[in-house]
Amino acid sequence: MRIILTGTPGTGKTSISKMLGNGMGCKVCHVNEILKEKKLYSKITNGEYVADFRKLKTHLNALLKEKNIILESHLLCDLKLEADLVIVLRCNPKELEKRLFKRKYSKTKLKENVLSEILDYCYINALKNYGSKVMQLESTKRIGIAKIKSEIGKFRAGKQASIRWLLGISQKDLEKYF
């Protein structure tokens, strides 16, 4: 199975990809590491690598020729790759804010990422690029491999619930991200 794991920074992509890789016997590739190692970026601005999406897409589609592989990165919702399943990790915005604060994200970067989660940025773009292959996985609380496999089973059976944070956010909480 060729799996794309994406979501806003701080949703648990690295941890869950390792768990899923071990649990399903798949090779795990962390795209942000590949981006730097293979120099698949156009420039570095303020210490951040700006991906060259054309080069990155070509390289990742070559990797996806393998049958048991998981690619993990927040960038993957913005690409259209040859995958069998796309999992978008979702985290409650209040918890996400705590996680990003612990990582010492700048105030601006923290706000941008929490707002992206509230507005379903990764989910909407994944749907645009991958269509019916996209499922959401709630990652606010720690989850195990059995729960992940169960959720994949529910998705394949057409029984997955939708996650929408915007509906549960108060006006006051929303205003602090604008």
Side-chain angles (χ1 to χ4, degrees):
M1 180 167 262
R2 298 168 303 166
I3 300 173
I4 300 290
L5 189 63
T6 191
T8 305
T11 55
K13 293 177 300 298
T14 301
S15 301
I16 289 176
S17 66
K18 289 176 184 175
M19 184 187 323
L20 196 55
N22 289 334
M24 296 182 73
C26 293
K27 176 182 176 181
V28 175
C29 296
H30 304 286
V31 173
N32 295 357
E33 292 173 12
I34 293 169
L35 178 91
K36 294 173 192 173
E37 180 184 310
K38 301 290 183 182
K39 298 185 175 156
L40 302 172
Y41 52 87
S42 57
K43 62 183 176 178
I44 303 172
T45 304
N46 298 328
E48 293 191 26
Y49 293 80
V50 178
D52 179 326
F53 281 101
R54 186 184 52 77
K55 288 180 184 177
L56 185 61
K57 181 178 179 178
T58 300
H59 185 81
L60 296 178
N61 271 326
L63 286 177
L64 286 166
K65 298 218 182 294
E66 291 185 41
K67 295 299 178 203
N68 291 315
I69 189 166
I70 298 170
L71 298 183
E72 166 278 305
S73 173
H74 70 283
L75 299 172
L76 298 176
C77 67
D78 291 319
L79 293 172
K80 186 172 187 170
L81 301 170
E82 299 298 322
D84 301 310
L85 176 66
V86 178
I87 302 171
V88 179
L89 295 182
R90 304 302 305 274
C91 181
N92 181 288
K94 289 184 180 190
E95 174 60 27
L96 184 63
E97 183 176 18
K98 290 176 192 174
R99 291 177 187 182
L100 297 179
F101 181 79
K102 282 182 186 176
R103 291 183 181 185
K104 300 185 190 303
Y105 273 41
S106 71
K107 192 173 186 176
T108 301
K109 193 172 172 183
L110 186 147
K111 283 181 173 186
E112 287 172 354
N113 283 296
V114 172
L115 189 57
S116 289
E117 182 65 14
I118 291 169
L119 298 176
D120 304 328
Y121 177 87
C122 288
Y123 181 60
I124 290 168
N125 284 329
L127 284 174
K128 181 178 77 176
N129 287 311
Y130 301 99
S132 63
K133 297 176 183 179
V134 178
M135 68 170 279
Q136 297 180 83
L137 182 62
E138 163 71 82
S139 63
T140 303
K141 295 180 181 160
R142 186 174 290 257
I143 54 176
I145 189 66
K147 175 74 173 168
I148 295 169
K149 286 181 176 181
S150 170
E151 291 300 315
I152 291 172
K154 287 178 188 175
F155 171 73
R156 288 194 164 151
K159 298 179 181 177
Q160 187 192 25
S162 183
I163 301 169
R164 295 284 189 258
W165 300 122
L166 186 57
L167 300 175
I169 301 290
S170 71
Q171 182 71 29
K172 181 182 173 190
D173 284 339
L174 192 57
E175 285 173 358
K176 77 179 183 180
Y177 301 114
F178 283 98

